[in-house]
């Protein structure tokens, strides 16, 4: 609901619908350590930056997850950092450098020249390409192995419970069954 509200308030400047972003969130949940809820939260924040739209928006959310994986920060914070960097590319490069993303002097000059001539989209593209070369794929890579498998199991289980809860009769039966299993496990532990 928060995402839909932000999209509406910004006049859908992102060029994406809530349903499209929900699909992206589900895809990221199944391929990274992000939760769908976390992706939707980050998308809500990113949607407030009106100059980030379409494919750039999608690339930015994915790059934010990669940035989070490498630098150990939450997805929302990474989305804010990237949103600020892409909204004001000249200042943004400096801010990203403080986090650990490096740009050559030539890249910084090119970004400044693009912004000066009004090619903000080109500057955004260059920033994302640079970021993707440095941290691209880190979000998916950290989701490998046992830790990733446990995360995906937890996500799938949570999604299943959400669907079951939508039907009161099924939700009640599942709730009762899970409580019985919990008591049995507690007795076994004892």
């Amino acid at each position: 609901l928060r995402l839909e509200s932000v999209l509406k308030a910004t006049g859908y400047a992102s060029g994406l619908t809530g349903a499209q972003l929900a699909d992206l969130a589900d895809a990221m949940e199944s391929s990274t350590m992000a939760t769908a809820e976390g992706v939707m939260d980050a998308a809500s924040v990113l949607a407030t930056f009106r100059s980030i739209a379409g494919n750039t928006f999608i690339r930015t959310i994915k790059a934010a997850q990669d940035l989070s994986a490498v630098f150990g920060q939450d997805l929302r914070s990474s989305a804010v950092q990237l949103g600020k960097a892409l909204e004001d590319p000249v200042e943004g490069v400096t801010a990203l450098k403080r986090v650990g993303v490096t740009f050559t002097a030539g890249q910084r000059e090119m970004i400044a020249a693009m912004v000066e001539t009004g090619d903000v989209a080109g500057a955004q593209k260059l920033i994302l390409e640079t970021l993707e070369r440095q941290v691209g794929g880190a979000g998916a890579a950290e989701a490998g192995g046992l830790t990733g498998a446990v995360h995906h199991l937890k996500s799938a289980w949570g999604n299943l419970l959400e669907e079951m809860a939508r039907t009161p009769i099924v939700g009640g039966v599942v709730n009762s069954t899970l409580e019985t299993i919990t008591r049995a496990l507690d007795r076994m532990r004892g």
Side-chain angles (χ1 to χ4, degrees):
L1 294 176
R2 180 177 43 233
L3 176 60
E4 284 292 342
S5 177
V6 171
L7 291 174
K8 185 177 178 183
T10 60
Y12 294 88
S14 69
L16 300 165
T17 65
Q20 288 171 312
L21 291 171
D23 289 344
L24 174 64
D26 289 341
M28 287 181 65
E29 181 176 61
S30 67
S31 64
T32 69
M33 296 290 282
T35 63
E37 293 80 9
V39 174
M40 296 292 279
D41 183 47
S44 294
V45 171
L46 192 60
T48 65
F49 297 96
R50 293 175 185 251
S51 70
I52 304 168
N55 189 50
T56 300
F57 191 99
I58 293 169
R59 286 177 68 194
T60 302
I61 287 284
K62 291 178 179 180
Q65 179 58 28
D66 292 336
L67 192 66
S68 294
V70 171
F71 295 108
Q73 56 192 27
D74 66 275
L75 180 55
R76 181 185 179 100
S77 297
S78 294
V80 169
Q81 286 174 330
L82 288 179
K84 288 179 179 179
L86 297 177
E87 191 82 3
D88 183 356
V90 176
E91 292 296 320
V93 170
T94 302
L96 287 174
K97 185 177 179 183
R98 279 186 237 121
V99 177
V101 179
T102 57
F103 292 87
T104 66
Q107 288 171 321
R108 288 191 306 272
E109 290 171 13
M110 191 178 305
I111 289 167
M114 288 176 171
V115 170
E116 191 173 307
T117 61
D119 186 13
V120 174
Q124 290 174 339
K125 182 178 177 186
L126 181 56
I127 289 171
L128 287 172
E129 286 172 353
T130 302
L131 184 63
E132 289 164 351
R133 277 194 299 276
Q134 292 179 36
V135 298
E142 82 171 345
L146 183 59
T147 301
V150 170
H151 167 77
H152 296 308
L153 174 63
K154 180 181 171 191
S155 295
W157 178 251
N159 292 338
L160 176 64
L161 291 178
E162 286 175 17
E163 289 301 318
M164 288 179 181
R166 291 175 202 251
T167 307
I169 294 171
V170 174
V173 170
V174 171
N175 186 48
S176 175
T177 303
L178 292 176
E179 287 174 353
T180 301
I181 292 170
T182 300
R183 285 191 299 275
L185 291 173
D186 285 342
R187 282 194 303 274
M188 286 173 54
R189 188 190 69 203

